[in-house]
Amino acid sequence: MAEAISVSGSVTGTAKTLSIETGKLAGQADGAVTVRLGGTVMLVTATAAKTVRPGTDFFPLTVDVEERMYAAGKIPGSFFRREGKASDQAILTCRLTDRPLRPCFPDGFRNEVHIVGTVLAADLENPHDVLMINGASAALSLSGIPFDGPIGAVRIAYSTEGEWIPHPTYAEGEASTFEMVVAGRLLDDGDVAIMMVEAGGTEAAWPAYQSGAPKVDEETIADGLEASKLWIREAIELQRLLVERAGAKPPMAYTVAVDYTPEVLAAVEAAGRERVAQVMTIADKHDRQAAEDELKAALVEELAPRFEELEDAEAQIKAAIRSLTKQVVRKRIVEEGIRIDGRGPKDIRPLSAEVGVLPSVHGSGLFQRGETQVLNVCTLGMPRMEQMLDTLGVVDRKRYMHHYNFPPYSTGETGFMRGPKRREIGHGMLAERALVPVLPSSSEFGYTIRTVSDVLSSNGSTSMGSVCASTLSMMDAGVPIKAPVAGIAMGLVYAEGTYTTLTDILGAEDAYGDMDFKVAGTADFVTALQLDTKIDGIPADVLAQALQQAKEARLTILEVMAEAIPEPRPEVGPTAPKIVNFEIPIDKIGEVIGPKGKVINAIQQETGADISVDDDGTVGIVSIGSTDAGAVAEAERQIRLILNPPTAEVGQTYTGKVVNITKFGAFVNILPGRDGLLHISKLGQGKRIDKVEDVLDLGDEVEVRVDDVDPNGKVSLSLASAPAPAQSAARDDEAAGGEGGRGTEREYVSFEDAFDEEIREEFGDLGPEPAGSSSGGDRGGERRGRRRGGGRRR
């Protein structure tokens, strides 16, 4: 086994140590490192193909994250008890790692590169996603694969005291108001250029803001990005130290792919520059694409005969046309301040917002910005409908879910639809993160919330359109969100030493630009942020300007949304369930549920309401839901009667239902949670009855009178039509003599004796009752319930 080489460094401002090791594991990979923070350990490998796959005209980088459940001492919860497809969290970590790595590979490099991160140990305190980014960079730096690194990454959390905490634990992150993952590279002058940002507010944000904690606005984020540079620099220097000690492998040999020759590009520029410039002034996306296709075909037809000696002449001409188009678009933006559709750098496309666009659903919103159109539908469900998570994190369930769908028709194309792709999961989670800080707590609004964004038309920033549409649909559904949230996508063009920030970018501006910067938030604070760059990094002052420009656009969008619906509806819609939540003593849960759920199921069948019972370890929580408010009220009434059953009055007559039959009598439910014994001796009205079934059957309704309630609450009953108890007793005495000694002492036993007889019949002799235990009907009710399908459980 090779000797391990390890380096470690302290994280400034904390007691934590980040360590990286190589040489011990995965020796056949081109590069392999083990990264550790606290008790969380990841193995990250980098491998490259030695040749280019024929026909590859792009850089095929693949990042995979393998979450091994053994890392946290868990057995997978799936049917097969082994890891299956990647979790949403794993996919987000893959995307988080891919984005800062991809710009670091040289142009024209087409060899397939595969980065694999395996979580070997998870202490459930330190997240592993940032370890994955740093580990991937370190593995690539050692591998000999052409990589212009290393890069460094850090997660920072904004505390309620207004401080940025590096590498926060899960608990510190949950207690903060905002979290950011920032990645960057070290420049020659020692500064750090920001390459990637992924950020979002937390559930604790709004309560903290209400308590006086500083809000996370654009200035705060800019300060956070500046602060992150210290810890990014530390991660990069640690990787450089590892490379220095371990030594990198020799650079691999590879062929730089040439998309077109200089001669082809010159010919395309001469023949097509003016025509390309004219086409790129067409504002409508489909008209522009049609004109582009027509011009491309014409240029290929004109120029192909001049390059007959080239085997791939047509492909080179098309690639040169794309390069020329990019030059034309960028030059016009920088020099003239005019974009493809004629807008200025800060202009927003026409906006529209609608709510209530669909019947029957609980809430719906339609948001459109230019040619980008998103329909969002909100569905409200019972608390038990929350999503259970089987991951390596500490969060095991979610009550708010946002799902994003991007069908091919949204761009006028055909394609396969086989479930969500990584991009759809990433965009959905970004929009979800943007709404989390303004959601009501479960105590304020006890519903599980699901919003679904269907992209109907796409031309730039559908994820931010989903944020706006989600806000509209939740307000339409009556979800009392704390404040409306809107989002906008910003772009950047860097040419001739000038940075030009663009508001509300088109799809083409995203493709031809140097930055994709998405910002979501309320009128007062930022709730989510995502930044990707295609250049070495963005200066801090340029980012600060982009944040302010995004805020101006966000405020404009919020005004349009407010015209559609200024605030959440005061109540949920008629098709949504009406939910009531209330707490009960934890020791009463069994009584509400009943043996095998029979009590709660009976209430659900009778009322039609949906009832769930849970506990948080200290109290029970009952949730009742139905589209019929009357059904909710009735179910709540019945449950509260079980918790505090009414007292039967001696001499009072009740209409009850037979819920259990034994050989010595029938148990009759006369009040919610209250049963009484109608002894067999009282069924014949003076005549001897051999079997209770000769008079009564299960489920029969019978008029009964309460003869006695003993100190333990046990109720003795008789038929309402029978004479008064004293007369009945005299007849019992007479019957006792007539039966040769088989009188009251045998036939008319006490309630407690009858109960004990039933217990012995079913369970045998249980011995003396433990001291301090209840001798009342609760324990007996449970045992009776096992026989009759009713009763209560503790």
Side-chain angles (χ1 to χ4, degrees), residues 1-161:
M1 179 177 291
E3 182 180 353
I5 299 173
S6 178
V7 297
S8 61
S10 300
V11 178
T12 300
T14 74
K16 297 180 179 180
T17 299
L18 178 67
S19 63
I20 311 176
E21 179 182 280
T22 189
K24 184 175 181 179
L25 303 179
Q28 296 193 57
D30 292 332
V33 299
T34 303
V35 194
R36 177 169 183 164
L37 183 68
T40 297
V41 182
M42 282 201 77
L43 169 67
V44 187
T45 62
T47 311
K50 303 304 183 255
T51 58
V52 179
R53 184 178 302 173
T56 301
D57 58 356
F58 63 97
F59 171 45
L61 172 64
T62 303
V63 179
D64 286 315
V65 172
E66 299 292 307
E67 292 181 325
R68 298 289 185 248
M69 300 305 287
Y70 62 65
K74 297 180 180 180
I75 295 175
S78 66
F79 180 82
F80 296 102
R81 291 295 184 264
R82 70 172 296 164
E83 292 84 359
K85 70 173 186 177
S87 68
D88 287 357
Q89 185 58 48
I91 290 173
L92 294 177
T93 304
C94 293
R95 290 172 56 85
L96 201 65
T97 306
D98 181 293
R99 285 156 45 197
L101 292 181
R102 191 172 289 272
C104 296
F105 291 90
D107 292 336
F109 182 60
R110 298 288 188 267
N111 298 56
E112 184 175 359
V113 175
H114 193 192
I115 310 294
V116 180
T118 306
V119 185
L120 300 181
D123 61 5
L124 299 184
E125 291 185 9
N126 297 285
H128 59 264
D129 49 3
V130 169
L131 298 185
M132 174 65 185
I133 302 174
N134 289 312
S137 172
L140 286 166
S141 298
L142 292 166
S143 67
I145 299 171
F147 175 70
D148 187 14
I151 64 169
V154 64
R155 175 189 296 276
I156 56 176
Y158 195 63
S159 70
T160 54
E161 288 76 30

Side-chain angles (χ1 to χ4, degrees), residues 281-572:
T281 62
I282 300 175
D284 183 80
K285 177 182 176 180
H286 288 287
D287 291 345
R288 184 174 65 253
Q289 288 179 336
E292 284 185 80
D293 292 341
E294 183 178 345
L295 176 58
K296 188 181 301 180
L299 289 174
V300 168
E301 184 178 358
E302 292 176 20
L303 300 177
R306 295 171 52 181
F307 300 99
E308 292 180 349
E309 72 283 359
L310 298 177
E311 293 183 1
D312 57 346
E314 182 175 341
Q316 288 200 33
I317 293 171
K318 290 181 178 179
I321 293 172
R322 176 177 174 80
S323 178
L324 175 62
T325 303
K326 182 176 180 178
Q327 293 177 23
V328 168
V329 170
R330 294 166 63 88
K331 181 179 177 64
R332 189 180 183 214
I333 290 173
V334 172
E335 294 183 354
E336 303 177 35
I338 301 176
R339 299 158 66 176
I340 294 175
D341 56 1
R343 286 183 292 150
K346 295 185 178 182
D347 295 340
I348 307 175
R349 289 172 290 175
L351 301 167
S352 69
E354 298 179 51
V355 295
V357 295
L358 296 176
S360 303
V361 302
H362 299 166
S364 58
L366 182 65
F367 179 79
Q368 186 157 350
R369 186 192 327 103
E371 294 169 302
T372 293
Q373 184 184 61
V374 181
L375 172 67
N376 186 278
V377 177
C378 178
T379 305
L380 306 177
M382 294 290 290
R384 60 182 175 81
M385 294 301 294
E386 63 186 1
Q387 183 182 10
M388 299 181 65
L389 304 176
D390 190 22
T391 69
L392 292 180
V394 296
V395 178
D396 59 359
R397 57 190 65 222
K398 291 197 309 184
R399 62 180 283 260
Y400 170 56
M401 299 156 281
H402 177 268
H403 295 149
Y404 167 99
N405 300 309
F406 191 88
Y409 65 75
S410 65
T411 56
E413 300 171 335
T414 61
F416 293 104
M417 299 178 65
R418 299 289 187 269
K421 301 178 180 64
R422 288 188 174 190
R423 177 182 178 277
E424 290 175 291
I425 291 173
H427 279 28
M429 292 301 293
L430 174 61
E432 179 178 302
R433 193 181 302 118
L435 272 300
V436 163
V438 300
L439 292 178
S441 66
S442 57
S443 60
E444 296 173 295
F445 192 70
Y447 292 85
T448 294
I449 307 167
R450 180 187 186 228
T451 55
V452 179
S453 290
D454 285 310
V455 178
L456 307 183
S457 178
S458 172
N459 188 11
S461 188
T462 54
S463 62
M464 293 298 95
S466 297
V467 172
C468 302
S470 295
T471 297
L472 293 170
S473 72
M474 281 199 283
M475 294 173 73
D476 183 49
V479 180
I481 60 175
K482 306 302 182 181
V485 177
I488 190 69
M490 310 297 292
L492 181 76
V493 172
Y494 175 59
E496 300 177 9
T498 301
Y499 293 93
T500 304
T501 305
L502 306 177
T503 297
D504 182 22
I505 56 175
L506 302 171
E509 290 172 335
D510 185 6
Y512 296 145
D514 299 317
M515 177 184 75
D516 182 14
F517 190 19
K518 303 180 179 74
V519 187
T522 69
D524 298 322
F525 56 91
V526 176
T527 59
L529 183 73
Q530 188 179 86
L531 167 67
D532 295 311
T533 67
K534 301 175 186 176
I535 54 180
D536 289 343
I538 309 294
D541 60 335
V542 175
L543 285 177
Q545 178 189 344
L547 282 167
Q548 291 299 326
Q549 199 166 314
K551 182 177 182 179
E552 296 173 6
R554 190 170 76 244
L555 294 176
T556 300
I557 295 171
L558 286 170
E559 290 177 1
V560 173
M561 293 167 59
E563 293 175 2
I565 181 167
E567 59 187 16
R569 300 197 189 281
E571 296 180 353
V572 298

Side-chain angles (χ1 to χ4, degrees), residues 10-12 14 16 18 37 96 100 127-135 151-157 164-168 179-185 192 194 196-199 224-236 239:
S10 300
V11 178
T12 300
T14 74
K16 297 180 179 180
L18 178 67
L37 183 68
L96 201 65
H128 59 264
D129 49 3
V130 169
L131 298 185
M132 174 65 185
I133 302 174
N134 289 312
I151 64 169
V154 64
R155 175 189 296 276
I156 56 176
W164 288 103
I165 303 170
H167 293 291
E179 285 190 283
M180 285 199 296
V181 175
V182 188
R185 65 193 307 168
V192 172
I194 302 300
M196 186 276 297
V197 181
E198 185 81 20
L225 294 176
E226 189 63 33
S228 69
K229 294 180 179 181
L230 168 63
W231 300 295
I232 291 173
R233 186 181 296 109
E234 290 179 348
I236 292 174
Q239 293 176 55

